[in-house]
Amino acid sequence: MADGNWRFALRGILILALTLIAGVAAGFAMDRTVIRRGEHKQAGRTPAQLLGDRGPHGRFEAMLFARLDLSPSQRARIDSALERGRRETDAYWARVEPGLRAIVDSTRAEIQATLTASQRARYDSLRAERRRSRERDREGERQREREREAARPARPR
């Protein structure tokens, strides 16, 4: 391969790798930013619940409680342990999120500075499309969870 072509290919691979890294980090940071703004409070859910850990009424915990035949005291202790874990996780992300946000922002700025004006417009369009797709996926999951909850027989407490 000619010297110029090699550098061009390497630069393309580097841009793709940085775009992938930035996309993953941006998606992760976006979730954390939503949590930080307090949208979980509006939804009446904990940050961990918004991110997929649905608490003691979530799928995993419900499965554990149903299959392990826990006594009320065991269930209370497990609920307490899960809640403590959620608080510690939330505190951890509150410390980490600003640094992650800075990395994502600087990576995104570097990528945008590398692109031409038309490429930047397409890049922004692709990012917006990805955000919409993730939101559709999340809404579909929320709908499926509501349907599962509605189909689940009520358990005495």
Side-chain angles (χ1 to χ4, degrees), residues 91 100 118:
L100 182 59
S118 63

Side-chain angles (χ1 to χ4, degrees), residues 26-47:
F28 191 73
M30 183 69 67
D31 282 337
R32 294 297 161 193
T33 301
V34 166
I35 301 307
R36 191 164 190 224
R37 285 194 313 240
E39 291 182 11
H40 63 284
K41 294 175 186 168
Q42 295 169 2
R45 299 168 72 190
T46 67

Side-chain angles (χ1 to χ4, degrees), residues 37-154:
R37 285 194 313 240
E39 291 182 11
H40 63 284
K41 294 175 186 168
Q42 295 169 2
R45 299 168 72 190
T46 67
Q49 287 170 325
L50 278 180
L51 293 173
D53 177 5
R54 292 175 179 81
H57 302 292
R59 289 183 304 232
F60 181 70
E61 286 85 352
M63 182 271 303
L64 282 179
F65 294 150
R67 293 184 182 178
L68 294 179
D69 192 31
L70 300 171
S71 71
S73 66
Q74 287 175 310
R75 184 177 177 133
R77 289 179 64 189
I78 291 171
D79 280 341
S80 176
L82 290 169
E83 184 55 38
R84 181 193 45 73
R86 286 183 194 100
R87 284 192 311 269
E88 290 175 8
T89 300
D90 292 345
Y92 170 80
W93 282 115
R95 289 189 314 270
V96 171
E97 192 273 333
L100 182 59
R101 166 72 17 221
I103 292 168
V104 169
D105 290 345
S106 68
T107 303
R108 186 175 295 136
E110 187 176 346
I111 290 169
Q112 288 177 329
T114 304
L115 302 174
T116 66
S118 63
Q119 288 171 326
R120 272 193 302 277
R122 182 68 181 140
Y123 174 75
D124 291 341
S125 173
L126 290 169
R127 287 185 53 237
E129 182 180 313
R130 184 164 185 248
R131 275 192 301 275
R132 288 188 300 272
S133 175
R134 279 195 317 260
E135 184 50 41
R136 280 191 306 271
D137 291 346
R138 287 185 188 121
E139 182 51 40
E141 179 57 32
R142 286 188 292 265
Q143 180 61 34
R144 286 186 294 278
E145 184 65 27
R146 286 189 294 268
E147 290 168 1
R148 282 190 293 268
E149 287 293 324
R152 209 174 272 142

